[in-house]
Amino acid sequence: MESTEQIVARINAAIPTAKAVLVPNEAPSGQTSILVATDLGRKVALWLRDDAQLRLDYLSNATGVDWPELVTKQKVKKKKVVDGVEKEVEEVVESRRPPYLEAVYHLYSMELKHGPVVLRLRTGNRSDAVTLPSLTPVWRGAELQEREIYDLYGIQFEGHPDLRRLLMWEEFVDHPMRKDYVEPDDYEYEPTPHDEVLTKAKTHYEMGQPAASPK
Amino acid sequence: MHDTRHLDSQAQPSYRVESRGHHGASDLLEVSMGPQHPSTHGVFRMDVVLDGERVVKLKPVFGYLHRNHEKIAENTTYLASMPYTDRLDYLCSLTNNWAYALAVEKLAGLQPPERAEYIRVITAELTRLTNHICLIGFLLQDMGASGTPLMYAFRERENILDLFESLTGARMMCNYMRFGGCRVDLPPGWLEQTSQVLDRFPKFLEEFDRLISGNEILIARTQGVGVLPRDLAIQSSATGPVLRASGVNYDIRKVDKYGIYDRFSFRVPLGEHGDVYDRYMVRVLEMHESLGILKKAIQDIPPGPIVDPKAKIRGFRPKAGEAYGRIEGPKGELGFYLISDGSPNPYRYRVRPPSLINLTALEDMCLGQTIADAVIILGSIDIVLGEVDR
Amino acid sequence: MLGTGLIKGMAETARNFAGSFFQEDRLTTVQYPEERIPTKEAARSFPFLVFDGDDAAKGLRCVSCQICEKECPPQCIYIVKDTTKKPDYMGKLQFQPKIFDIDVSVCMSCQICVEVCPFDAIKMNVEYEMSRFGRFEDLLIHKQQLAKPNEYFHKIHPTDAAEVDARLAAEKLKAEAKAKADAEAKVKAAAAAAAAAAAAATATPATGAAPKPKPATPAAPAAPASVDQPAKPAVTTPPAPSTP
């Protein structure tokens, strides 16, 4: 199978507005992914499925990932002119990763028996622009998995035939797999409390150290 | 009238059941099968709409066994998630362990030694045998052969579970694979015991064949029932025996050749019709093939270390990156998708559950069949709720 | 003929039924609780603490390093360190646990605590008949109930216990040998210092410009500040002995 860079080049040649970009991966697995502009997600998916060389007719896995805003400070050595002399100075560079939700699709080919090709679609942000095109019309196997992503992350899939919650009950409000999800305060008695559970136990029990008193 | 709140959801008016006007009042019966039902293989609910006995609409409802395994994994270390993977598909814990270990090895660049790979193949094929035994037993139980084939099958399964207990310490929740190899080496005499169990196994398969495979009731109830056409199977991302019974030759052991499966020659049984009988027979034939793989693995296993020397038990911090590792589990493709950000806990931990995704086409398979057939079709897909809901 | 499959099946069942009176492997029911299948050697149910010797308080191997508490996946271990130390099997002073509780209703028998313990203090028991009436208090096992002697460990896991004992004995031998070597080196250093002092007293007028002896190293605290590291032969005085 051709490499991810070649696939990205061919996508950009076939659908120029897709703005396909290679997302690197430093792990030894070497599975790099393709990031595509959101509004053309379904068109790229159809192209990937029907292209003669790729024939990616099998959607193996559809996942949601939550990327909250991250500001990292890094010390970088830069050459600067200080008092007329060029010196290497350490500067603190701030890099900001904007917040977004992401849907990752792993695609394989049952006909040609190759893969994986990893497709990524990102939303605008985590609060109001959380719509992505549903790939269920392209691969029917995405139906239940996209429902799960909607349930656990809150990504609205436009074009999905039946977007309901999958694992949580229908009246449930929040999206549990997000990084900023706050659990409801439903503390149950635990005789061996640790760390956060210990702080929770202290708010419910006066002693706060039930395990310390042997019965 | 019937309370339709559980069928209606505010966002989906298309799901509302329409009454057939020319008969006056609605003829359709809405039944909620489950979640407590002896034949739904766990806490699983199906909202079926019946016209007499024929299924008109079927919506599966999950989430009764949801234990937020993926969120727990984000808050604990990589090693501490390993016992939780046992409990995903609780009938095949060793293959779950292997899939997770494979994904982490891809993420961290570890390579298990030869002996560990052979042990992994042996335990995985034994797990495949136990799982298919469970399936043929439970499927026949669902059909009404109340318990006899099930107990015959479980008699063999006990021998294999005894093998697991002497190797790993526990019958079902084995927690045996580690990143880069296995936890402990084979105890002395284990390979001989395994050979003895495998020598008795073909006799069991013959006995089971004589007991039930020629049974007219079985043939009448399963042939032509619950047909999954080939194109729909590929489209719905079905994997494992469900896919192969529909005639698609896709076995991850042959496609990805993970581990050392390229050293074993085995056949992949394919079905022609995609009905319940094909799914049952594909699994019986897979058991025969697993016996061949096991015999060769037991012969060829070399001595040596069982864990990669670079692997660490405590303080394991893979570099930032992501990996997707998958194996051919007994139920289908079991995959783990891991994203690491350099800390001891994974950033994103995702289980690709074969049971859940094989259920995508459940409604299509059941439309037009009777409600009794719906039970059998569900049984033939072989779901375990621990995996569906995680 | 329609029905041959059914008849063959029923013949199989009859064969099994008749055979259960004569053949061992066809009668698979074990009349529990009158009969019990013996557990395998590697079986595991819940953890217990090992102590050497007869006294649980004195011989407990656990030094309350809290590694098992941190690595336990469901966090069922609760440890509180004691401030007084006690000597371990090698004689070195170590911490000990004041409270060591395991919540058996939470424990999932995964054996990770056993794997990560650096002191072979916590091992897996095989006892599985642990039903109790109290839901929380009775399933919380304290240190006194968890501590079991090394002989019990030998009884339930003979191979493991033998291997642990051999390893600990080897480490103890190594530590003793090292302690002996250190003690011998100290004695030799003291002798060298005494000889050097005697020689320096006689040779001081002649060797006024002799290089000043180096200051004492920590390996020879008792010797006066005139001797190098015992491993190196002294460079100044001829009568200085060469070390082994």
Side-chain angles (χ1 to χ4, degrees):
Chain A
M1 195 184 78
E2 47 189 352
S3 71
T4 324
E5 289 91 1
Q6 290 169 315
I7 302 179
V8 166
R10 289 211 296 135
I11 294 178
N12 281 327
I15 312 169
T17 41
K19 294 198 275 281
V21 157
L22 182 89
V23 176
N25 177 16
E26 290 109 31
S29 70
Q31 290 164 351
T32 46
S33 10
I34 306 176
L35 173 66
V36 173
T38 310
D39 40 345
L40 286 163
R42 196 173 305 159
K43 206 158 165 204
V44 172
L46 276 166
W47 183 88
L48 285 170
R49 189 186 71 181
D50 299 329
D51 176 57
Q53 275 179 312
L54 288 174
R55 298 288 305 150
L56 297 167
D57 50 1
Y58 167 49
L59 170 73
S60 165
N61 178 31
T63 316
V65 193
D66 183 19
W67 298 101
E69 179 167 358
L70 189 66
V71 176
T72 45
K73 294 190 169 58
Q74 252 188 332
K75 286 208 175 83
V76 171
K77 286 194 166 62
K78 274 214 249 183
K79 282 195 162 47
K80 265 174 83 162
V81 178
V82 175
D83 301 329
V85 180
E86 200 174 296
K87 281 203 281 197
E88 247 194 38
V89 176
E90 258 197 17
E91 266 191 3
V92 174
V93 168
E94 235 187 47
S95 62
R96 178 184 169 269
R97 184 186 72 205
Y100 51 81
L101 298 165
E102 192 176 41
V104 183
Y105 297 87
H106 286 83
L107 306 164
Y108 287 82
S109 169
M110 283 206 183
E111 204 180 298
L112 302 175
K113 305 225 183 341
H114 60 218
V117 170
V118 188
L119 184 67
R120 294 181 113 94
L121 295 173
R122 291 185 184 165
T123 64
N125 58 32
R126 290 171 79 234
S127 44
D128 44 338
V130 288
T131 318
L132 285 181
S134 164
L135 299 190
T136 307
V138 182
W139 295 290
R140 174 115 180 258
E143 182 184 333
L144 292 178
Q145 304 191 67
E146 284 180 353
R147 270 178 67 183
E148 186 188 332
I149 302 177
Y150 162 64
D151 183 7
L152 298 178
Y153 283 95
I155 301 181
Q156 304 267 356
F157 285 98
E158 169 259 329
H160 192 278
D162 181 19
L163 194 67
R164 290 178 290 151
R165 283 186 177 270
L166 189 81
L167 296 172
M168 295 282 134
W169 58 97
E170 277 118 17
E171 293 87 14
F172 194 80
V173 176
D174 211 340
H175 297 285
M177 280 294 283
R178 289 204 182 183
K179 297 281 177 183
D180 52 0
Y181 173 68
V182 172
E183 293 163 358
D185 184 25
D186 49 2
Y187 176 73
E188 275 182 20
Y189 172 71
E190 203 175 297
T192 54
H194 289 266
D195 316 322
E196 312 98 35
V197 181
L198 185 58
T199 38
K200 249 203 261 189
K202 286 194 176 131
T203 60
H204 285 258
Y205 288 90
E206 292 162 7
M207 301 300 290
Q209 301 240 351
S213 51
K215 296 199 170 73
Chain B
M1 277 313 285
H2 303 287
D3 183 9
T4 54
R5 264 185 304 157
H6 62 284
L7 288 178
D8 256 352
S9 184
Q10 291 103 327
Q12 309 306 323
S14 62
Y15 183 37
R16 188 175 251 299
V17 170
E18 283 146 16
S19 65
R20 297 194 301 180
H22 57 281
H23 275 219
S26 162
D27 278 306
L28 303 173
L29 179 67
E30 294 149 14
V31 176
S32 159
M33 280 187 66
Q36 285 185 321
H37 193 288
S39 294
T40 54
H41 294 265
V43 276
F44 175 69
R45 190 172 110 205
M46 292 196 284
D47 289 333
V48 284
V49 178
L50 298 170
D51 171 22
E53 273 228 18
R54 301 270 153 190
V55 171
V56 168
K57 206 172 199 123
L58 187 145
K59 290 287 179 205
V61 180
F62 321 101
Y64 290 93
L65 195 53
H66 181 61
R67 298 161 288 184
N68 71 342
H69 172 218
E70 301 183 354
K71 187 114 185 153
I72 292 176
E74 286 181 10
N75 294 329
T76 53
T77 59
Y78 285 88
L79 180 65
S81 292
M82 185 62 94
Y84 289 111
T85 59
D86 281 338
R87 288 146 170 90
L88 278 175
D89 174 2
Y90 35 79
L91 298 174
C92 334
S93 66
L94 283 160
T95 42
N96 295 353
N97 285 349
W98 188 1
Y100 181 49
L102 192 76
V104 173
E105 282 158 18
K106 278 200 174 150
L107 182 68
L110 300 168
Q111 177 62 31
E114 285 280 305
R115 188 174 169 87
E117 295 277 24
Y118 273 93
I119 296 179
R120 282 179 172 184
V121 167
I122 293 175
T123 46
E125 295 304 316
L126 282 172
T127 312
R128 200 178 307 273
L129 288 176
T130 55
N131 176 271
H132 289 336
I133 285 177
C134 278
L135 176 98
I136 58 183
F138 288 132
L139 181 60
L140 289 163
Q141 168 91 353
D142 286 347
M143 280 195 235
S146 42
T148 309
L150 177 66
M151 286 302 135
Y152 281 31
F154 267 56
R155 204 170 47 188
E156 283 311 304
R157 188 165 180 254
E158 284 297 310
N159 300 333
I160 304 183
L161 292 181
D162 281 345
L163 287 176
F164 287 161
E165 192 178 6
S166 39
L167 174 64
T168 70
R171 282 153 54 95
M172 277 169 72
M173 305 298 155
C174 298
N175 185 23
Y176 179 63
M177 306 294 174
R178 292 286 176 263
F179 312 131
C182 304
R183 182 168 65 83
V184 291
D185 205 347
L186 304 175
W190 194 82
L191 285 172
E192 284 76 30
Q193 279 175 337
T194 315
S195 299
Q196 280 171 2
V197 170
L198 293 179
D199 289 335
R200 286 204 296 262
F201 212 85
K203 199 162 82 77
F204 153 70
L205 286 175
E206 278 173 44
E207 188 183 57
F208 204 84
D209 251 347
R210 280 200 302 268
L211 179 70
I212 205 76
S213 291
N215 195 315
E216 284 80 4
I217 302 178
L218 172 79
I219 294 180
R221 277 200 78 176
T222 57
Q223 285 190 342
V225 166
V227 175
L228 182 65
R230 192 202 144 98
D231 293 322
L232 184 61
I234 301 179
Q235 265 284 307
S236 323
S237 304
T239 48
V242 173
L243 178 72
R244 292 197 282 277
S246 298
V248 181
N249 184 3
Y250 194 75
D251 185 331
I252 301 176
R253 294 175 290 175
K254 295 262 190 211
V255 170
D256 274 1
K257 301 195 191 57
Y258 60 93
I260 44 165
Y261 271 111
D262 45 355
R263 300 186 202 175
F264 300 96
S265 70
F266 57 97
R267 296 176 295 179
V268 175
L270 295 177
E272 276 176 356
H273 308 279
D275 53 12
V276 173
Y277 187 73
D278 275 354
R279 279 177 232 135
Y280 165 78
M281 281 315 288
V282 158
R283 289 184 171 103
V284 172
L285 294 171
E286 274 190 8
M287 282 204 276
H288 283 278
E289 298 300 322
S290 290
L291 289 177
I293 300 178
L294 276 165
K295 285 200 172 62
K296 182 156 191 289
I298 293 178
Q299 258 181 334
D300 291 348
I301 182 169
I306 50 160
V307 89
D308 186 346
K310 284 192 307 208
K312 286 199 285 192
I313 293 273
R314 297 190 64 220
F316 177 64
R317 283 172 180 251
K319 284 198 332 229
E322 63 176 48
Y324 179 67
R326 61 181 196 160
I327 64 158
E328 175 75 23
K331 300 194 157 60
E333 173 186 327
L334 175 64
F336 280 78
Y337 176 57
L338 292 164
I339 303 185
S340 154
D341 57 351
S343 69
N345 303 350
Y347 184 82
R348 172 77 172 111
Y349 169 102
R350 150 87 178 169
V351 181
R352 187 250 185 228
S355 302
L356 174 70
I357 297 176
N358 288 350
L359 283 174
T360 314
L362 179 67
E363 188 179 359
D364 296 64
M365 284 195 265
C366 288
L367 285 181
Q369 314 282 347
T370 60
I371 184 101
D373 293 336
V375 169
I376 301 179
I377 295 169
L378 179 67
S380 72
I381 300 181
D382 196 10
I383 62 168
V384 163
L385 263 299
E387 197 170 55
V388 167
D389 291 339
R390 280 151 286 140
Chain C
M1 180 187 90
L2 184 70
T4 38
L6 279 156
I7 293 177
K8 269 205 283 189
M10 287 201 273
E12 201 51 51
T13 322
R15 193 175 310 148
N16 262 289
F17 177 61
S20 67
F21 288 101
F22 307 108
Q23 289 169 314
E24 268 283 325
D25 56 341
R26 289 211 190 275
L27 184 66
T28 47
T29 313
V30 172
Q31 303 291 341
Y32 186 84
E34 287 85 19
E35 299 173 37
R36 282 182 174 82
I37 306 179
T39 53
K40 306 270 177 311
E41 190 193 323
R44 56 183 200 247
S45 68
F46 296 112
F48 73 99
L49 293 170
V50 187
F51 64 84
D52 298 307
D54 296 319
D55 190 345
K58 276 215 270 258
L60 202 65
R61 287 187 196 164
C62 174
V63 304
S64 118
C65 62
Q66 294 179 302
I67 291 181
C68 60
E69 190 183 24
K70 277 198 274 284
E71 299 285 329
C72 173
Q75 304 263 286
C76 68
I77 303 182
Y78 183 78
I79 299 179
V80 169
K81 249 192 198 155
D82 200 349
T83 41
T84 55
K85 293 194 185 187
K86 73 159 174 54
D88 68 357
Y89 72 102
M90 281 207 280
K92 191 165 145 195
L93 276 179
Q94 302 271 19
F95 282 111
Q96 58 179 330
K98 186 159 82 172
I99 295 180
F100 195 113
D101 291 340
I102 295 187
D103 187 356
V104 157
S105 62
V106 172
C107 170
M108 52 180 183
S109 314
C110 65
Q111 210 179 21
I112 287 185
C113 55
V114 171
E115 267 180 76
V116 296
C117 176
F119 298 95
D120 295 300
I122 187 168
K123 297 288 174 191
M124 290 312 272
N125 206 346
V126 296
E127 191 193 331
Y128 52 87
E129 292 159 343
M130 292 185 70
S131 322
R132 302 276 184 273
F133 288 104
R135 194 171 148 206
F136 297 111
E137 314 81 31
D138 295 345
L139 287 175
L140 180 70
I141 311 201
H142 302 289
K143 190 174 69 162
Q144 295 82 356
Q145 294 152 285
L146 281 174
K148 303 233 189 305
N150 200 9
E151 287 79 36
Y152 180 74
F153 183 32
H154 272 277
K155 199 167 66 148
I156 54 175
H157 297 294
T159 358
D160 274 343
E163 189 248 326
V164 166
D165 277 358
R167 193 163 20 99
L168 292 179
E171 281 182 14
K172 189 165 176 181
L173 272 178
K174 212 168 66 163
E176 279 175 2
K178 185 166 175 296
K180 214 164 72 142
D182 279 347
E184 274 180 13
K186 250 198 264 185
V187 163
K188 288 215 160 54
T202 53
T204 322
T207 59
K212 285 261 184 290
K214 293 202 180 57
T217 54
S226 64
V227 184
D228 265 349
Q229 295 245 359
K232 295 201 202 58
V235 286
T236 48
T237 49
S242 58
T243 49

